[in-house]
Amino acid sequence: GDSVTQMEGPVTLSEEAFLTINCTYTATGYPSLFWYVQYPGEGLQLLLKATKADDKGSNKGFEATYRKETTSFHLEKGSVQVSDSAVYFCALISGTGANSKLTFGKGITLSVRP
Amino acid sequence: DTGVSQDPRHKITKRGQNVTFRCDPISEHNRLYWYRQTLGQGPEFLTYFQNEAQLEKSRLLSDRFSAERPKGSFSTLEIQRTEQGDSAMYLCASSLTLVQGAWGYTFGSGTRLTVV
């Protein structure tokens, strides 16, 4: 079945540091890939997405590129801020119609210190 | 319509009691999903509805769990004879199905259940 594997956490960075959060996946066909973010006390929010190979999703300074050859969708940001402290989930949807639903990784907690 | 609403936000119950959660999706969304999230894990799929029809149930959804979506609007998730292992955050999401597949999930803030 479909699965998403994220790097182990938590991750603690200083403000303005470079961020990489690794994500790899296993899926049938050609899934759509997503990063969701969960701020403390809030619901899951879509951060960015990519629907086909070599697509780059970007939002709020975060980027991720859909790499079919390595089945990866790593999240990057050049300069993190304290406000980026949250839990980040990589997710995918494979299949269409009745079979399409989100499958999530375990998530990783990012803490950014001033 | 400001988003997906879940009620209550928190629920503490004694083991063996029944609990019911409610989810109000975005009104024009035809799909509604229930997920469960335990500490240190990502959300795990429980079940989903397209309009009023329940199309899929996960193996995680034991016989003690039942979900309904009468009239294709709000949904309820009931857990009977709660166990401590049911303690988790229960998330609801809705989406508008397109030909290419479900898209644009919007999640609620969740209901945190604690079974004591």
Side-chain angles (χ1 to χ4, degrees), chain B residues 5-115:
Chain B
S5 299
Q6 291 189 246
D7 184 69
R9 290 294 300 272
H10 304 275
K11 178 71 177 179
I12 299 174
T13 190
K14 291 184 178 180
R15 189 174 51 187
Q17 296 294 305
N18 299 343
V19 294
T20 300
F21 311 140
R22 176 179 170 123
C23 172
D24 286 272
I26 292 175
S27 57
E28 61 266 28
H29 285 182
N30 59 345
R31 282 202 175 182
L32 186 147
Y33 305 80
W34 285 100
Y35 282 79
R36 181 174 69 186
Q37 185 178 10
T38 53
L39 198 62
Q41 300 295 317
E44 297 171 296
F45 170 78
L46 293 179
T47 187
Y48 86 93
F49 295 83
Q50 179 149 319
N51 301 312
E52 67 275 10
Q54 189 172 16
L55 295 187
E56 187 175 345
K57 293 192 287 187
S58 161
R59 284 172 291 180
L60 293 175
L61 214 64
S62 75
D63 291 345
R64 297 184 297 104
F65 288 70
S66 63
E68 295 182 343
R69 191 184 183 196
K71 303 178 183 178
S73 56
F74 71 92
S75 176
T76 58
L77 178 67
E78 181 183 16
I79 308 175
Q80 296 182 328
R81 305 181 302 282
T82 52
E83 302 173 356
Q84 287 189 321
D86 297 332
S87 296
M89 176 76 84
Y90 290 84
L91 297 170
C92 177
S94 68
S95 73
L96 184 62
T97 307
L98 303 177
V99 173
Q100 301 90 332
W103 200 250
Y105 278 54
T106 301
F107 281 85
S109 297
T111 293
R112 181 169 295 284
L113 173 66
T114 303
V115 181

Side-chain angles (χ1 to χ4, degrees), chain A:
Chain A
D2 298 343
S3 67
V4 176
T5 302
Q6 293 185 233
M7 60 184 277
E8 294 290 325
V11 172
T12 301
L13 296 174
S14 297
E15 203 165 25
E16 299 183 2
F18 183 83
L19 169 71
T20 300
I21 301 177
N22 290 342
C23 170
T24 57
Y25 66 89
T26 302
T28 54
Y30 301 96
S32 296
L33 303 175
F34 305 82
W35 277 99
Y36 278 82
V37 59
Q38 189 171 36
Y39 298 102
E42 298 184 16
L44 285 163
Q45 300 175 26
L46 178 64
L47 180 60
L48 54 83
K49 64 181 185 286
T51 59
K52 61 183 187 296
D54 299 325
D55 266 3
K56 178 185 283 188
S58 61
N59 186 26
K60 299 182 181 180
F62 290 90
E63 293 183 339
T65 301
Y66 189 143
R67 300 287 188 202
K68 184 171 179 294
E69 63 277 11
T70 54
T71 61
S72 65
F73 193 54
H74 304 321
L75 182 68
E76 296 182 336
K77 186 173 186 182
S79 175
V80 293
Q81 306 299 312
V82 172
S83 58
D84 294 327
S85 298
V87 183
Y88 291 82
F89 296 92
C90 186
L92 66 83
I93 289 178
S94 67
T96 58
N99 294 323
S100 56
K101 59 185 182 290
L102 275 171
T103 298
F104 288 89
K106 288 187 175 182
I108 187 169
T109 299
L110 170 67
S111 298
V112 180
R113 53 175 182 251

